[in-house]
Amino acid sequence: MIKTALNLLEKLNNGGFEAFIVGGAVRNKLLNLQVKDYDITTNATPQQIKQVFDGYDFVEAGIKHGTVGVIVDKNVYEITTYRVDGDYFDHRRPKNVTFSTSLKEDLTRRDFTINALAYDKDFNIIDYFDGVTDLKNGIIRAVGDPKKRFTEDALRILRAVRFSAEYGFTIEKNTLDAMIECKSYLKDISSERIFIELNKTLCGKYCAEALYTCKQILFEVIPELEITDGFLQFSLAHDYDVFNHTLVAIRSSKSNKPAVMWSLLFHDIGKPYCLTFGEDGYGHTRGHMQISHEKIKPILERLKFPTKLKEEVLQIVLDHDTTISKSKYEVKKYLSRHGLELTQDLFYVKLADNTAHSTIGIIRYAKSVKQLKYYLDEIIENNELYDINKLAISGDDIMSLGVYGKDVGFVKNELFDKVLQGEVENDKTKLIKLATSICKNLKN
Ligand code: ATP
Ligand code: MG
């Protein structure tokens, strides 16, 4: 809450200290975007911060680096003492940090001019590096010498790509050149950090443009994608090479959920391994879905994907080019196996993938995508059954008809299938009646 943050600034001022809101909160306020959290910077030392906020609860995990988390109404406000970072090692971490009494020094260590802005409790902007101009012009520019800054901390390279993807900003030429020059230092960045930044990049509104400009950075962290760049498809259904098709699909996506965006990034990664030519001279990539599925397994492991996201992306990539909507029954079967969320995400992937084809390709595949949407909407609207656990008859009900063991599951599956086929309603009395006749047949 801005009110609370300003209140904290005032309390520090009243204690005789300087205090400013800094970083993302300033940037997003000037951009008129939602502010997620308020970071405060001050010349008070952690000890002095704790004295000013005597009686408050604190989070002290970051205290070594000068950060005291002050808890107000269950929210944590991070208050950090002005800092200068010592020499860096490992292209990520400073050897030591020292506290400073100068706001300018603190702002100098920040990554980009648009992130090196601060304001005081009266909203006076402090801007030593022309960050406001860069913000107005939509430019990402390193503070100081870009090569030095990316050599110190290579994570900044991915942060630049990410901010460009989120805000649609252009990366200033020297900054971009230095990112590319320093890209090999990304090997020192942990997989977890790489995943977080790429994930945010992919969910950014301008992701495709950012990845187009920064493809060398993308290929540095996911080298397996490089083979798709410039790989031609020799197909009437395609206007682009595989990588550019991927970017167009990403740009066309109507959902920016991580599962959708990662699946789009990877869906055709297997194509270069299976291109064959028909007698007509056109290219075919039959089986590319399985190859994509196999190729990305080690990537998802390496980037330490969260389990649920990993499983979803693997499944969607495997199914992205399979028709699952020839009938409503087929859609329900898919839903019963994979659930609503994944099926909806698969729809968004198919839709974006389809949009990124040539006109001929769009016409060829649009029907099955439309049909999937049509059936999905109908199933949801009518609250039609696709989850066996919601069948109106239980295992106990079936056992009470005199069947046991494996037969119970068999009968239940039969009933479920008949409901999916629309042959019987999901109504207990009707299902018992049908179950009775199935059980009778079983016993004979
Ligand atoms: P958001 O929270 O929207 O992702 P942010 O800019 O607030 O963006 P944070 O990671 O929360 O990003 O960092 C807060 C501020 O700390 C940044 O605005 C920047 O000033 C500084 N900062 C963060 N990471 C780095 C870094 N690797 N190098 C230099 N400065 C950094
Ligand atoms: Mg932040």
Side-chain angles (χ1 to χ4, degrees):
M1 278 274 291
I2 177 73
K3 235 173 123 182
T4 315
L6 293 175
N7 211 347
L8 297 178
L9 294 187
E10 201 165 352
K11 281 205 162 65
L12 282 158
N13 291 159
N14 291 342
F17 301 105
E18 297 174 13
F20 300 87
I21 290 173
V22 71
V26 185
R27 181 193 68 222
N28 283 19
K29 181 182 157 47
L30 292 174
L31 287 173
N32 236 337
L33 295 173
Q34 195 202 343
V35 173
K36 282 175 273 175
D37 43 31
Y38 290 91
D39 294 324
I40 293 170
T41 188
T42 176
N43 60 350
T45 63
Q47 233 21 63
Q48 290 168 329
I49 296 169
K50 284 174 70 181
Q51 275 162 17
V52 169
F53 295 103
D54 190 26
Y56 283 72
D57 285 329
F58 300 119
V59 179
E60 301 195 43
I63 208 152
K64 244 187 21 213
H65 300 109
T67 303
V68 178
V70 177
I71 301 174
V72 188
D73 300 331
K74 294 188 182 140
N75 294 315
V76 182
Y77 292 81
E78 292 201 331
I79 305 182
T80 305
T81 311
Y82 297 159
R83 260 172 46 181
V84 267
D85 297 335
D87 287 342
Y88 280 73
F89 68 102
D90 279 1
H91 305 299
R92 174 73 191 115
R93 280 162 302 184
K95 273 191 204 132
N96 51 34
V97 295
T98 32
F99 298 148
S100 160
T101 52
S102 149
L103 172 67
K104 187 169 182 187
E105 274 187 344
D106 184 84
L107 295 176
T108 307
R109 77 174 166 88
R110 292 174 186 272
D111 47 7
F112 305 110
T113 60
I114 58 167
N115 288 346
L117 294 163
Y119 64 76
D120 66 12
K121 69 173 188 356
D122 302 315
F123 291 109
N124 295 307
I125 300 277
I126 290 82
D127 178 13
Y128 291 112
F129 307 102
D130 276 340
V132 173
T133 310
D134 284 343
L135 212 47
K136 273 192 199 137
N137 295 332
I139 288 176
I140 295 165
R141 185 194 312 269
V143 172
D145 172 24
K147 196 171 160 208
K148 179 166 173 278
R149 305 310 310 284
F150 295 129
T151 307
E152 286 172 354
D153 179 1
L155 184 66
R156 292 169 188 155
I157 299 172
L158 293 179
R159 283 173 60 87
V161 181
R162 189 253 288 192
F163 289 122
S164 165
E166 285 183 331
Y167 304 126
F169 284 11
T170 308
I171 304 173
E172 178 267 331
K173 182 165 185 319
N174 290 329
T175 301
L176 182 61
D177 288 348
M179 285 162 64
I180 292 165
E181 205 179 325
C182 297
K183 67 182 172 137
S184 67
Y185 304 147
L186 284 164
K187 68 178 182 320
D188 287 327
I189 301 299
S190 73
S191 307
E192 288 86 348
R193 292 275 180 182
I194 293 177
F195 171 79
I196 291 171
E197 291 304 328
L198 284 185
N199 199 49
K200 288 182 178 172
T201 300
L202 283 168
C203 298
K205 200 168 162 197
Y206 307 92
C207 167
E209 291 80 354
L211 291 184
Y212 181 77
T213 308
C214 301
K215 63 182 176 186
Q216 294 183 68
I217 308 297
L218 177 67
F219 299 154
E220 187 67 24
V221 284
I222 310 182
E224 295 89 338
L225 279 168
E226 190 159 8
I227 189 174
T228 64
D229 189 23
F231 192 89
L232 297 174
Q233 315 203 43
F234 305 99
S235 159
L236 286 178
H238 283 278
D239 282 339
Y240 308 103
D241 65 68
V242 174
F243 184 65
N244 284 295
H245 157 76
T246 300
L247 293 185
V248 176
I250 283 174
R251 197 179 55 198
S252 316
S253 182
K254 298 270 186 261
S255 159
N256 72 339
K257 276 182 65 188
V260 173
M261 301 315 288
W262 282 106
S263 300
L264 285 172
L265 181 69
F266 289 139
H267 72 288
D268 280 350
I269 200 171
K271 274 194 172 171
Y273 302 92
C274 58
L275 179 71
T276 55
F277 289 91
E279 282 183 1
D280 52 9
Y282 288 116
H284 301 281
T285 48
R286 282 193 196 94
H288 75 275
M289 300 181 300
Q290 284 79 2
I291 299 174
S292 295
H293 175 86
E294 289 306 320
K295 289 274 172 204
I296 64 172
K297 278 183 186 167
I299 306 175
L300 308 192
E301 288 301 322
R302 190 175 74 229
L303 292 179
K304 305 212 169 66
F305 265 53
T307 308
K308 182 171 177 280
L309 180 62
K310 178 172 70 185
E311 281 165 7
E312 198 176 342
V313 170
L314 281 168
Q315 192 66 48
I316 292 177
V317 167
L318 186 63
D319 294 336
H320 77 267
D321 206 16
T322 307
T323 301
I324 61 154
S325 50
K326 282 198 253 358
S327 64
K328 197 197 254 187
Y329 171 68
E330 197 183 36
V331 176
K332 287 183 182 176
K333 285 293 276 186
Y334 195 88
L335 281 164
S336 76
R337 278 189 218 111
H338 302 294
L340 181 61
E341 192 186 355
L342 185 141
T343 311
Q344 278 173 330
D345 289 350
L346 174 64
F347 161 73
Y348 282 114
V349 168
K350 283 170 164 288
L351 183 66
D353 183 18
N354 182 236
T355 314
H357 279 68
S358 67
T359 310
I360 290 178
I362 291 175
I363 293 168
R364 200 177 285 168
Y365 304 112
K367 191 172 160 222
S368 82
V369 180
K370 252 198 199 147
Q371 233 164 9
L372 176 55
K373 169 89 176 122
Y374 177 79
Y375 287 137
L376 267 177
D377 284 352
E378 216 174 65
I379 291 164
I380 296 162
E381 226 166 83
N382 304 338
N383 203 8
E384 293 179 44
L385 181 83
Y386 57 82
D387 177 357
I388 193 162
N389 296 313
K390 301 218 170 104
L391 197 65
I393 186 169
S394 70
D396 285 348
D397 295 331
I398 297 169
M399 276 198 274
S400 71
L401 301 174
V403 289
Y404 304 98
K406 270 199 278 182
D407 288 348
V408 179
F410 173 81
V411 174
K412 200 171 174 187
N413 281 327
E414 282 288 292
L415 294 172
F416 180 55
D417 203 63
K418 297 249 184 272
V419 178
L420 295 194
Q421 301 255 27
E423 289 178 17
V424 60
E425 278 171 55
N426 188 27
D427 168 271
K428 187 156 178 175
T429 316
K430 289 179 180 155
L431 289 174
I432 298 247
K433 200 168 153 209
L434 182 59
T436 312
S437 84
I438 298 174
C439 292
K440 217 165 160 189
N441 285 340
L442 262 182
K443 286 183 209 151
N444 290 336

